[in-house]
Amino acid sequence: MSLEITVRGSAEQQHPAERATVAMAAVVEGDDKQTVFADAVAIQEPLSAQLKDLVDLRAVHGWSSDQVRVFSHRPWDADGRRGEVVHVARVHVRAEFVDFERLSGFLDDWSGVDGVEIGGISWDVSAKNRRAYEAQVRASAVDDAVTKAQAYADAVRRGKVVAVQLADPGMLAGEDRGVPTLLTAADARSGGAPDLDLSPEEIVIRVEVDARFRAD
């Protein structure tokens, strides 16, 4: 009678960051809605112009500014009373940098500009390399599953294992399909001293695979 063995294989690689996506916004508050919107646009215009120049220099892979929000609110004061109406205009900008030295200078310049909000930096490898890395890690995860299954078979003195099912975590036939496990992740943080000498952690590419084997 054949023995059925079910295991989960995993593997990961670490790679230096190759791109950084910066989330920014031009944010202005005031008592006149048209004025705050015009002032936010006035901040966004030179910001966009510089990003266009950085694209020409191949320091920025691409950028966008396609989200605008204008709203009003009445803030509460320290005594619990509602204040006068305050209008807020927010123009969002996103840019993907591939030159981290120019990124540091760019953020150093714009972080000191009134009305500019830097939301954060997302680090990653290039899209092309991510696909290649994921394929490599996925193959390694399958190898890990085979090794685990064979170890189980050897422990009970069975023969060579043969794969009969491979699936993403939680998707094997007959299993409860709960919340799927994230197969890949880019785990990196931005870091830097006051001079913005950014030093991102390496990007982690991780893959898990469920596998079912039989051994005679």
Side-chain angles (χ1 to χ4, degrees):
M1 182 177 178
S2 295
L3 174 68
E4 187 175 271
I5 303 171
T6 303
V7 297
R8 175 167 293 177
S10 62
E12 70 178 38
Q13 292 180 358
Q14 295 185 1
H15 299 276
E18 298 168 345
R19 58 176 175 167
T21 301
V22 183
M24 305 176 66
V27 184
V28 179
E29 297 184 359
D31 55 10
D32 183 82
K33 183 177 290 188
Q34 290 184 339
T35 299
V36 298
F37 177 72
D39 289 346
V41 172
I43 296 172
Q44 186 256 4
E45 285 180 346
L47 176 59
S48 299
Q50 185 172 356
L51 288 173
K52 291 177 183 177
D53 292 340
L54 290 171
V55 170
D56 293 337
L57 293 172
R58 298 185 178 180
V60 170
H61 183 267
W63 68 278
S64 64
S65 181
D66 56 4
Q67 297 293 324
V68 179
R69 186 183 180 203
V70 181
F71 62 95
S72 304
H73 68 104
R74 294 180 63 189
W76 298 89
D77 63 20
D79 297 323
R81 295 190 295 266
R82 298 295 294 270
E84 297 297 324
V85 174
V86 175
H87 304 284
V88 182
R90 184 185 297 268
V91 182
H92 294 269
V93 178
R94 292 179 66 86
E96 182 183 312
F97 279 77
V98 293
D99 184 328
F100 298 161
E101 184 175 348
R102 291 187 183 275
L103 169 62
S104 296
F106 175 83
L107 293 178
D108 195 30
D109 291 340
W110 284 99
S111 62
V113 176
D114 289 341
V116 172
E117 179 182 286
I118 300 175
I121 306 173
S122 299
W123 303 91
D124 206 345
V125 294
S126 69
K128 179 181 178 180
N129 283 343
R130 172 167 279 278
R131 288 191 295 269
Y133 296 152
E134 287 177 353
Q136 295 169 7
V137 179
R138 192 169 289 110
S140 296
V142 172
D143 289 342
D144 182 55
V146 173
T147 300
K148 286 181 178 178
Q150 190 62 60
Y152 283 125
D154 292 344
V156 293
R157 294 173 176 78
R158 294 296 183 107
K160 185 176 181 180
V161 296
V162 177
V164 293
Q165 285 185 319
L166 289 173
D168 289 343
M171 296 185 65
L172 280 180
E175 289 191 354
D176 179 21
R177 297 190 180 188
V179 178
T181 301
L182 182 65
L183 296 183
T184 63
D187 182 13
R189 303 180 185 89
S190 62
D195 60 355
L196 283 180
D197 181 14
L198 298 176
S199 180
E201 293 181 0
E202 289 195 329
I203 306 303
V204 178
I205 309 291
R206 179 176 176 82
V207 172
E208 293 183 341
V209 60
D210 286 355
R212 186 162 288 157
F213 298 84
R214 286 201 181 101
D216 294 329

